Amino acid sequence: MKAITVVPGEPEVKISNVDEPGPEHGSLLVEGQLLGICGTDIDIVDKGYGAPPPGQKRLLIGHESLGKVLEAPTDSGFAPGDLVAGIVRRPDPVPCGPCSVGEWDFCRNGLYTERGIKELNGFGSQRWRSEPQYAVKLDPALGDRGVLLEPVSVLAKAWEQTERILTRSSWKPKVALVTGAGPIGLFAAMLGVQRGLEVHVLDLNDSGPKPQLVADLGGTFHTGDVRDIGLEPDVVIECTGAGSLVYALTEVVGAGAVICLTGISSGSRKVAVDLDATAREMVLENGVVFGSVNAGRRHYEQASAALAKADPRWLDRLITRRVPMSGFADALHKRSDDVKVVVDLQA
């Protein structure tokens, strides 16, 4: 079968002929439908992030999956024809405490593996296999929108963890700010709106489809310096990884606010900040800044429910470009009107 393979850190992307996955890779056999592209894929190719399976030079890439079940054990909860997505992370073999209870997204020793990223082949192939416990059945009405499940799961976790922190006090948040209007930011905004919050989204510029996508959610779109937009948010979901913005956010949030960091900095810029003043302000205002990454199974299930509640026409507009497998390398280069680019694994 055909598969998309790379050597992390090398620009060459190959459509390789590889062996069919055997039963040792999982009892579910799935026909790959779509593969989503995100910044992690770009970092694997351009920056050498991630690693192939031990003993192999090339990594079968792809972690945002959508497929259709071809074969399934009768007692698995799946049947041929089911629409599914694969869970990315696997627990470490030790396992650590969190991994031993299915919370691999909180792995403490770093020995976890991730499909298409870290030491496990991914979903970028015409067929793939999975153990039933690492696959999520989707509402068939979602159709191709099911490829959005993995990124939404990351935000489902971010919101879950934010809400857990907010239970430390009796007051309820009303205003949420999302920084960054890429797919992750848009999904953060979608989940904020579903929670009944007044949602604002801040981005670098107002070109392309993003402002209208935010408006159609019921949110308000902003550009410019966060200190100039006149907001005092109760909750911030930060999706850019820009250190200077994170620092500025600590200056504008309200008392008792929670700032959740989901963006990862490139590490290429240094920002001078007054950490003494920041620490003082966060202590005196009961503020919280925390990070969130990856997702556990329950977050995939939360994401599936959130996608089922969302306006399907709005979700359709997020998928702005489709390319065949042979166009994977081109899909890594973002265009001005791109939101989410997907690969057709059968084309």
Side-chain angles (χ1 to χ4, degrees):
M1 66 173 184
K2 292 181 178 179
I4 307 165
T5 67
V6 303
V7 176
E10 296 184 9
E12 182 188 27
V13 176
K14 285 186 177 180
I15 307 303
S16 304
N17 287 312
V18 302
D19 293 338
E20 293 276 348
E24 68 274 15
H25 297 292
S27 57
L28 290 184
L29 178 63
V30 179
E31 180 183 68
Q33 302 289 306
L34 295 175
L35 186 73
I37 302 291
C38 85
T40 299
D41 300 303
I42 298 170
D43 286 345
I44 290 170
V45 175
D46 291 347
K47 300 178 182 178
Y49 179 72
Q56 298 182 27
K57 183 181 180 182
R58 302 192 72 83
L59 171 69
L60 198 165
I61 202 170
H63 61 282
E64 297 184 6
S65 63
L66 177 69
K68 191 169 291 185
V69 174
L70 295 174
E71 298 175 4
T74 55
D75 60 350
S76 66
F78 294 88
D82 284 345
L83 199 65
V84 296
I87 292 174
V88 176
R89 187 172 286 195
R90 301 291 185 275
D92 70 72
V94 174
C96 67
C99 283
S100 70
V101 294
E103 293 182 340
W104 51 76
D105 52 314
F106 283 99
C107 181
R108 299 202 65 203
N109 60 22
L111 298 179
Y112 62 85
T113 54
E114 291 177 322
R115 294 203 58 167
I117 302 173
K118 184 177 183 281
E119 300 176 356
L120 281 180
N121 280 324
F123 302 107
S125 55
Q126 291 176 310
R127 285 167 294 283
W128 47 268
R129 283 188 177 267
S130 175
E131 304 91 337
Q133 64 266 37
Y134 298 121
V136 179
K137 187 189 300 186
L138 299 172
D139 184 337
L142 272 179
D144 289 352
R145 307 174 200 103
V147 74
L148 304 174
L149 183 72
E150 192 278 336
V152 176
S153 74
V154 174
L155 277 308
K157 176 186 175 180
W159 272 108
E160 177 200 80
Q161 298 298 306
T162 297
E163 289 172 329
R164 287 189 178 188
I165 294 169
L166 287 165
T167 62
R168 66 194 176 134
S169 174
S170 61
W171 72 277
K172 302 298 181 184
K174 296 180 179 179
V175 179
L177 172 64
V178 175
T179 51
I184 293 295
L186 290 169
F187 292 137
M190 179 187 82
L191 293 174
V193 169
Q194 289 185 355
R195 283 161 168 77
L197 296 172
E198 176 189 321
V199 174
H200 298 258
V201 178
L202 175 72
D203 200 60
L204 285 174
N205 61 71
D206 57 4
S207 62
K210 296 174 184 177
Q212 193 59 51
L213 285 166
V214 171
D216 292 344
L217 267 180
T220 304
F221 189 88
H222 305 269
T223 60
D225 192 313
V226 69
R227 289 163 289 208
D228 297 332
I229 61 176
L231 280 181
E232 191 176 90
D234 305 313
V235 172
V236 178
I237 308 294
E238 205 297 299
C239 305
T240 71
S244 58
L245 178 55
V246 173
Y247 174 66
L249 288 169
T250 65
E251 297 182 312
V252 302
V253 292
V258 177
I259 302 173
C260 174
L261 309 180
T262 68
I264 298 176
S265 170
S266 65
S268 59
R269 295 181 59 196
K270 294 183 179 180
V271 180
V273 298
D274 185 349
L275 289 179
D276 288 339
T278 299
R280 183 172 60 250
E281 190 71 16
M282 296 303 290
V283 170
L284 294 176
E285 296 291 339
N286 285 299
V288 175
V289 179
F290 79 102
S292 180
V293 70
N294 202 263
R297 182 177 182 91
R298 70 178 182 272
H299 307 121
Y300 280 81
E301 292 167 350
Q302 292 166 10
S304 178
L307 286 172
K309 287 172 58 179
D311 183 344
R313 295 167 298 180
W314 187 84
L315 294 175
D316 284 339
R317 290 161 55 202
L318 299 184
I319 301 175
T320 48
R321 186 157 53 110
R322 296 171 184 249
V323 300
M325 291 180 77
S326 60
F328 181 86
D330 178 61
L332 298 175
H333 301 286
K334 198 165 186 178
R335 299 177 183 175
S336 60
D337 58 347
D338 280 341
V339 178
K340 173 59 69 176
V341 181
V342 300
V343 178
D344 186 338
L345 296 173
Q346 298 301 316

